[in-house]
Structure formats: structure tokens, C-alpha cells
């Protein structure tokens, strides 16, 4: 049975993630890939030939000549904002790679452009590639937390250090790990998914204390190790510990509520269910020590569910075809995790706890100062691409 109203899509950016998109786009019956674009002409020609489509070297030419109705943006971070703005001005549907932008001021520009485009077309679709929301364990954690099964939340702690990156990785691209080229380090490149997942599960904190180490383990000018402390309006506290230097790394998430504790680590999800509220018990018990009786249960998770970039893109395409519908992540949500990332860095720079919301102008000014004062000389070497799937978190 043929698929009606194929969506004509263009892809901008043919680096590691762009080539990953190409691989699954070629298998989708619901789309027609009408063009690929990269400023590297040889790369654009190669991928266009491989995907039996047209090569473009300027995204504005792609917009003008390809007949596309939607675009996937997979370029370096700073370019997400101007390309998405131009796309919305052309009335195009947009699916952008993470992060939405480098800083919240630019993120707001993309959101404003989308809101303006909605005035002309209320059904215009704006998605962001937060494919980790499709991972079965995270989806189950979201289900449990959202159900209220843990009661009032008191603490969320995430140690996520499975982001090992070598010096060769950083040296393998002239834009990586620089303030001017990337706008940050682990928080901007590796951890947007972690930050999105944190806010998706428990919300954006109201206070942030960030401690970022710049080039601690690698010869780079951006952060490669970060520890942060959060306070939320509901009284919950949070912790985040990330680095690109640990091997073997850890991915351990604990979410504690009055009615139990949820622990995710090593592809195992355990719920320690309290017999009664630990908060109520703590106020009323006659016992001096001990604690609430609890029962540990390993939560079954369907690990065969479809996951990844293709799932995100498939729902994006269906929303376009149907004039609206469910997305894995709406583009406007991208500013939430970015707020946490910018807040951590601003707190670290200022060496003080900051309140959320904070001044986007202040962070942008600091970023521009870092770019202007940079004396970092990037050593660029040719690096083997290797297995790109290893770059995804575990």
C-alpha cells in the first residue's frame, strides 16, 4: 500500500550526525529527500549521490530551489538559530538537532520565529531531536514519576560520566571544544540529552550552583567536568555530575520521593517502595533509628520498543501529514535544558548560586567576552570516524 502525501524534506549538515540521519531517511517511505546541503562541496556531492538526491552548498539555495516542505537541521550549534529562523520565515516545518541553541537568547529567537510562523500556518511543526526520550528505561522512569507513585519528591541525583572523549576526538574538528565554534563543552555537546531528561522528569530548578572545570583533562578551552547542585520550588534538591574524562564511566540516576526510591543503573530499574510516607513516618514514629519498611522491586521494561532518531523523525513527519499530532519533543521545550546548562556555567563563572530565571543577556555577554579574549590555538588533526553510535549515551 503506497504512502500518500510524502513529505519533501531537506537535510542541512552532513557531519557525523548528518550522515546518521541520511542512513535512516533513505529507508522511510513517508518522505522524499529532495536535497542535502553542506558547505563542504565534496561531502555534499558524495551524500547526494549516495541518497539519489540533489546537492546544495548554501542552505538558502536549498530553500529556494528544492521544493522542500520541511528541514532537518544538523549543523554546528551556533547555526541552529539563523537557519531555523529563516526556515520558519519560509513557512517550513523544522526538526532541529540538539541543542536548540548555544544560549537562551538565541533559543528564544527560534521560538519567536516559530510563533510568528504559526500566525500564517497554525499547523506548522517544530520538533527537536531528543531521541533519548524514546529509550525504554527513561520512558518507564517518566511514567512512574509522572504517575505520582513516589509522592512528594525530595532528591534527584544523576551521575552521568559515560561520555568519554579523547584528545583525538576534540582535535578532529575545527569547531569542537571552542567558545567561538561550539559555545561550550560537555554541557553544550554531550549533555543536552541529560539536561533535557532531567527537566522532563523533575522540572527546571529554581536555584543553580554550578562548578565547571575548564580543560581539566583535555587540551580544550571549554568545560570537560561539571558538578552542579539544584534547588526546586517544591523543595526537592538535585545533583548532576558529568565529565568526558572517566573510563569506565557511570550512568546512575536516583529519584527519591516520600513513598520510595527509584534507581536506574546498568540497564536495571529498581523501585524501593515504602510502606508509608517517610516524611510522615519521620515526624510520627516513636523509634529513634531505623527507617520505613520498604520492598525492592525490579521494574520490568520492554526493551524491544522502537527507539532512536528515526522514531523522532517518523512522528515529526506524521504530524506534518496530519496537520498536527504527538511529537517526542516539541522544539520549544529545548530552552528548558538549555536554561539549566547556561545557569550552571553562569553560576560557575560568577562563583555564586543564581536564581532561575536569570539574565540571558548576562550569559550571552560572558560568552562573547570569552570568544573575544580567547588565545586558544586549535590543533586540528584527521581522525577516524569510527562507530558513531558509541557517541550515544548508555
Amino acid at each position: 500500500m503506497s504512502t500518500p502525501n510524502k513529505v519533501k524534506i531537506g537535510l542541512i549538515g552532513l557531519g557525523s550526525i548528518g550522515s546518521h540521519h541520511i542512513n535512516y531517511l533513505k529507508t522511510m517511505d513517508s518522505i522524499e529527500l529532495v536535497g542535502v546541503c553542506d558547505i563542504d562541496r565534496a561531502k555534499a556531492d558524495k551524500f547526494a549521490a549516495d541518497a539519489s538526491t540533489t546537492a546544495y552548498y548554501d542552505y538558502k539555495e536549498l530553500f529556494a530551489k528544492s521544493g522542500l516542505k520541511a528541514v532537518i537541521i544538523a549543523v554546528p550549534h551556533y547555526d541552529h538559530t539563523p537557519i531555523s529562523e529563516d526556515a520558519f520565515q519560509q513557512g517550513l516545518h523544522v526538526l532541529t538537532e540538539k541543542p536548540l541553541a548555544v544560549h537562551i537568547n538565541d533559543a528564544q529567537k527560534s521560538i519567536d520565529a516559530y510563533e510568528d510562523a504559526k500566525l500564517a500556518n497554525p499547523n506548522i511543526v517544530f520538533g527537536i531531536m531528543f531521541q533519548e526520550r524514546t529509550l525504554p528505561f527513561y520512558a518507564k522512569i517518566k511514567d512512574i514519576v509522572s504517575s505520582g507513585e513516589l509522592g512528594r519528591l525530595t532528591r534527584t541525583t544523576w551521575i552521568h560520566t559515560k561520555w568519554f572523549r579523547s584528545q583525538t576526538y576534540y582535535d578532529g574538528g575545527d569547531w569542537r571544544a571552542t567558545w567561538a565554534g561550539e559555545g561550550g563543552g560537555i554541557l553544550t555537546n554531550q549533555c543536552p540529552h541529560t539536561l533535557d531528561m532531567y527537566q522532563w522528569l523533575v522540572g527546571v530548578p529554581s536555584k543553580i550552583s554550578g562548578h565547571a572545570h575548564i580543560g581539566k583533562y583535555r587540551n580544550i578551552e571549554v568545560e570537560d567536568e561539571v558538578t552542579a547542585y539544584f534547588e526546586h520550588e517544591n523543595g526537592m534538591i538535585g545533583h548532576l555530575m558529568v565529565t568526558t574524562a572517566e573510563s569506565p564511566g557511570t550512568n546512575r540516576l536516583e529519584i527519591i520521593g516520600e513513598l520510595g526510591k527509584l534507581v536506574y543503573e546498568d540497564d536495571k530499574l529498581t523501585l524501593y517502595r515504602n510502606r508509608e510516607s517517610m516524611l510522615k513516618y519521620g515526624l510520627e514514629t516513636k523509634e529513634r533509628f531505623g527507617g520505613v519498611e520498604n520492598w525492592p522491586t525490579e521494574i520490568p521494561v520492554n526493551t524491544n520498543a522502537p527507539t532512536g532518531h528515526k522514531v523522532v523523525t517518523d512522528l515529526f513527519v506524521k504530524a506534518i501529514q496530519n496537520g498536527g499530532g504527538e511529537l517526542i519533543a516539541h522544539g520549544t521545550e529545548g530552552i528548558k535544558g538549555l536554561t539549566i546548562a547556561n545557569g550552571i556555567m553562569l553560576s560557575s563563572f560568577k562563583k555564586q548560586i543564581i536564581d532561575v530565571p536569570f539574565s540571558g543577556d548576562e550569559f550571552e555577554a560572558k560568552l562573547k567576552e570569552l570568544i573575544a579574549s580567547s588565545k586558544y590555538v586549535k590543533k586540528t588533526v584527521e581522525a577516524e570516524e569510527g562507530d558513531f553510535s558509541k557517541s550515544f549515551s548508555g
Side-chain angles (χ1 to χ4, degrees), residues 4-270:
N5 63 322
K6 281 191 175 186
V7 175
K8 295 183 176 181
I9 285 184
L11 171 64
I12 306 173
L14 298 170
S16 296
I17 191 63
S19 61
H20 181 74
H21 286 300
I22 285 276
N23 289 334
Y24 71 78
L25 288 171
K26 291 188 297 184
T27 72
M28 292 180 65
D29 294 331
S30 58
I31 68 105
E32 178 185 353
L33 186 61
V34 296
V36 295
C37 179
D38 199 284
I39 58 174
D40 183 330
R41 288 174 174 256
K43 186 178 290 185
D45 290 341
K46 174 182 178 296
F47 281 103
D50 181 56
S52 301
T53 189
T54 304
Y56 294 90
Y57 319 116
D58 184 321
Y59 78 86
K60 292 183 179 179
E61 187 179 13
L62 171 73
F63 288 176
K65 297 182 178 179
S66 70
L68 80 172
K69 299 299 180 183
V71 62
I72 298 176
I73 300 172
V75 295
H77 307 146
Y78 280 107
D79 292 332
H80 290 187
T81 301
I83 294 176
S84 62
E85 285 183 293
D86 287 349
F88 284 129
Q89 288 169 9
Q90 298 287 326
L92 301 174
H93 305 283
V94 172
L95 177 59
T96 183
E97 266 295 342
K98 54 81 182 170
L100 178 56
V102 172
H103 54 77
I104 57 175
N105 279 2
D106 271 1
Q108 192 61 53
K109 289 178 183 177
S110 293
I111 294 171
D112 290 344
Y114 163 68
E115 295 294 341
D116 289 342
K118 280 175 62 179
L119 299 176
N121 177 13
N123 294 325
I124 199 163
V125 180
F126 183 20
I128 187 167
M129 190 56 74
F130 283 141
Q131 79 278 358
E132 289 204 359
R133 292 190 186 188
T134 71
L135 298 180
F137 282 97
Y138 292 142
K140 178 60 72 172
I141 294 168
K142 172 67 173 177
D143 176 45
I144 293 172
V145 172
S146 296
S147 73
E149 198 166 341
L150 295 177
R152 175 183 164 188
L153 299 182
T154 59
R155 175 172 66 83
T156 295
T157 298
W158 203 343
I159 304 171
H160 201 342
T161 61
K162 282 192 174 181
W163 297 115
F164 186 83
R165 298 294 186 271
S166 67
Q167 188 66 47
T168 298
Y169 163 84
Y170 289 115
D171 293 343
D174 58 4
W175 61 283
R176 282 189 180 130
T178 63
W179 297 117
E182 194 164 19
I186 188 171
L187 295 180
T188 303
N189 193 316
Q190 285 76 39
C191 287
H193 289 299
T194 307
L195 296 170
D196 172 65
M197 191 63 58
Y198 183 95
Q199 71 80 24
W200 190 51
L201 294 172
V202 298
V204 177
S206 57
K207 292 182 182 295
I208 296 175
S209 177
H211 308 268
H213 295 274
I214 307 298
K216 183 177 181 180
Y217 298 105
R218 304 288 184 260
N219 181 28
I220 56 177
E221 68 172 358
V222 293
E223 79 281 359
D224 57 1
E225 182 180 70
V226 170
T227 300
Y229 164 78
F230 308 129
E231 293 181 6
H232 291 252
E233 286 187 357
N234 63 359
M236 190 194 82
I237 62 168
H239 312 92
L240 178 70
M241 286 157 272
V242 296
T243 181
T244 55
E246 281 188 18
S247 182
T250 296
N251 184 9
R252 179 181 175 90
L253 173 62
E254 295 184 359
I255 302 177
I256 290 81
E258 61 178 319
L259 300 178
K261 175 172 71 173
L262 198 59
V263 179
Y264 168 60
E265 187 173 21
D266 295 332
D267 291 331
K268 181 179 179 181
L269 183 60
T270 305

Side-chain angles (χ1 to χ4, degrees), residues 253-289:
L253 173 62
E254 295 184 359
I255 302 177
I256 290 81
E258 61 178 319
L259 300 178
K261 175 172 71 173
L262 198 59
V263 179
Y264 168 60
E265 187 173 21
D266 295 332
D267 291 331
K268 181 179 179 181
L269 183 60
T270 305
L271 173 61
Y272 298 81
R273 192 188 305 274
N274 286 342
R275 188 169 188 176
E276 61 181 294
S277 165
M278 67 179 187
L279 300 178
K280 182 175 183 292
Y281 177 85
L283 291 173
E284 297 178 355
T285 182
K286 301 303 181 184
E287 300 291 332
R288 296 175 61 193
F289 309 110

